[in-house]
Amino acid sequence: MVSIVPNNIQIEDDRTGINVETLKRAFLDNLFYIQAKFPKISTKNDYYMALAYTVRDRLLNRWLQTTQTYLEKAPRTVAYLSAEFLMGPHLGNNLMNLGLYNVVKQAMEEFGLGLTDLLEQEEEPGLGNGGLGRLAACYIDSLATLEIPAIGYGIRYEYGIFDQEIKNGWQVEITDKWLRYGNPWEVPRPEAELEVKFGGHTENYTDEHGRYHVQWIPFKVVKGVPYDTPILGFQTNNANTLRLWKAEAPESFDFEAFNKGDYFGSVQEKSECENITKVLYPNDDSYQGKQLRLEQQFFFVSCSLQDMIRMMKAQNLTLERFHEHFAIQLNDTHPTIAVAELMRLLLDEHQFDWDKAWNITTKTFAYTNHTLLPEALERWSINMFGSSFPRHLQIIYEINLRFLDEVRIKFPDDGNRLRRMSIIDESGERYIRMAHLACVGSFAINGVAELHSELLKKTTLHDFYEMYPEKFTNVTNGVTPRRFMVLSNPRLANLITKKIGDSWVTNLDELRKLETFLYDSDFCKEFHQVKQDVKQDLANYIRTNYNITIDPNSLFDIQAKRIHEYKRQHLNALYIITLYNRIKANPNLDVTPRTFLFGGKAAPGYYMAKLIIKLINSIADVVNHDPDMRDRLKVIFLKDYNVKFAQRVYPAADLSEQISTAGKEASGTGNMKFSMNGALTIGTLDGANIEIREVVGEENFFLFGLTAEEVLQKKAAGYNPWDYYNSNPELKLAIDRISSGFFSHGDPNLFKPLLDSLLYRDQYLLLADYQSYIECQDRVSQAYRDREQWIRMSILNVARIGKFSSDRSIRDYVQNIWKVSALKVEVPEYSQSTN
Ligand code: 4GP
């Protein structure tokens, strides 16, 4: 076999060398030969690009070596199918993983360039909405770090999640043109393109052996072109691949139409094909039954499965062993059409019989559920589905027929159960229930936190749990400490490393050692100083970008996540108004100064969420300009919350708001990132909050609110929000302030829809939880005054958070679901980094 890396490459080669001089030379070389610029006319972006290519070069031998090793050894491989990958900027992460951060920083400094400045330049690939997409990114990081052979498969959206601007207090969406200046991290692979079919009809035929087959005659065919991004693990040589698919027209023009003079018709067809991967649907925890969305899902799933089959063929592996070679994880139901597509490929294109194909399929897939919210459970109308995927509809009918027979055997004479469990919802207009297809077609089903997995078994997927109890398991989410501690909070990371060495970065449980220093006053001082410095950084940022001065000595109280009624940003807002009212009533009140910071995007079509943003901004307007507040209260809505910005925000928090209605937040992952950075949590017994509280200790967590069970009981007993309004004067005053038009220049109607929803329905029980929340918030204010105790609580949050590393989650998946093994990749000596 020819060596992957040419043998004549030397240590000092410009594409691999890692000392300052070589890096500088390589940087100038890239500036000249790739950006076609010289320093005098270079923009900051040119410098960023030149540096990105310099770093990418140093990744490539690891990446290619990984590919070669995987090719030779043909290990069992995880295929992580996700419609979203919210990766965040690559440059800093790659520098950290390669161990090149400091040497590159120095090289840039010698050119008079600031590395931080260059890092800022990167447009982040916003190919996800929030939790689910960012989780996929953390998992891809951990897979590489743990040296697990894996591929991430997804969609290369031309426009990712919109950029958010705030105009007059309202959210305004701006197209995210993240590819405008090129993407140095991806490598297009047009030679590996595949075809994906859509629409049309099916025909039956009999082959020469008298066997019956179905052929799908599509209406259109679209090309899928893979774009590959290397994902390097932390200080490993394993660089896995993130393979994102772009849709293209099969021919650039329909020449027949063109020759007939239908120029626009032929161009239109091209753009219709390309539309499939044009834009990410900006909805989180909900879905829109749009045909294009379904087509996106099928498109990337079909490309990915065909790609896997092609790889097996290239390795001379038989498809009979598909399930031994690949473990495919379905990240929510978005890729679930894969169950039907793998069946189709095996049946129609590779001539397997049904039983064999079904056996392979059901040993291949595992399904993760991310939400219990009914509005987020995907279902596709039969008509729409059948018009795009006539063959898959047949296959799904057949799967359903056989599945219902099984149900009948296990639960005879239970017609209601059959109706409830059927993959086809026949209660009105007929729909395909994708979660049901996922449960039937997978060998494992998991929720993302203990409570969530329990609730799945008890409620949403209860029938499936009774049918297949052995399939159900829990994998509590985790997040990568590389990006969310080492990269985003270097001050804290350095302090920790100084105390306990650096093995915590890949073994987060090691943080426990910090408990030894709990009463070491020097350490506590340093720990506190780190927090103050980081808060000062954020304060500077806010002053520069918002022209608002905030006091780093005030308590930084942060709620950063998608805006959603169940996440209850408006409960937080009610507390702010309560504090405001108290100070207005008693201007000399002794309050703990607080800065309330919010960040998060609302789905563009989610009116109530947008109104919540407007409410927060309107409160900020009044509070920040009221001299009575005397800097004791500040409110800021930080626009365009994304991964890059999140990295600034988590480290600066004193208090993390995790206040969803119990039973609604599947897990949460922001809660983990805040706690890892020493914020204390104020939260309900929801999602992973419960497990966080368990490990950090209940005395280091501010708990309030109803439990999931109490929420259900309250609703069952006939919940009436007016009872709370009428009996709680502070709550009444807060709500009346809003309804009087006090925050809306006298307009009593602006926030009426929000207030009506609270007073007449209050689906998420804000009013029921209000008193408990404000009492808890008052305890927080009190606790913050005891600085030493607060610091200790904060240290304990960091020290005990080890469980929530995504490395632990991935180990759980590896051992309990995927059954894959690590495979170490070796690279030549010269490219090993030194720092
Ligand atoms: C989110 C859940 O809302 C969140 O609780 C969870 O931590 C995250 O997935 C990852 O598991 N769901 C979504 C979504 O982002 O789009 O459904």
Side-chain angles (χ1 to χ4, degrees), residues 495 499 514 517 520-528 795:
L495 174 62
K499 282 293 175 198
L514 291 175
F517 304 102
D520 173 334
S521 63
D522 287 343
F523 175 69
C524 291
K525 245 190 234 141
E526 281 185 83
F527 186 89
H528 177 67
I795 292 172

Side-chain angles (χ1 to χ4, degrees), residues 130-132 135 284-285 370-371 448 477 566-567 665-669:
L132 172 153
L135 186 78
D284 182 66
D285 274 311
H370 292 269
T371 178
V448 289
N477 284 345
Y566 86 80
K567 295 180 190 280
E665 187 71 270
S667 164
T669 44

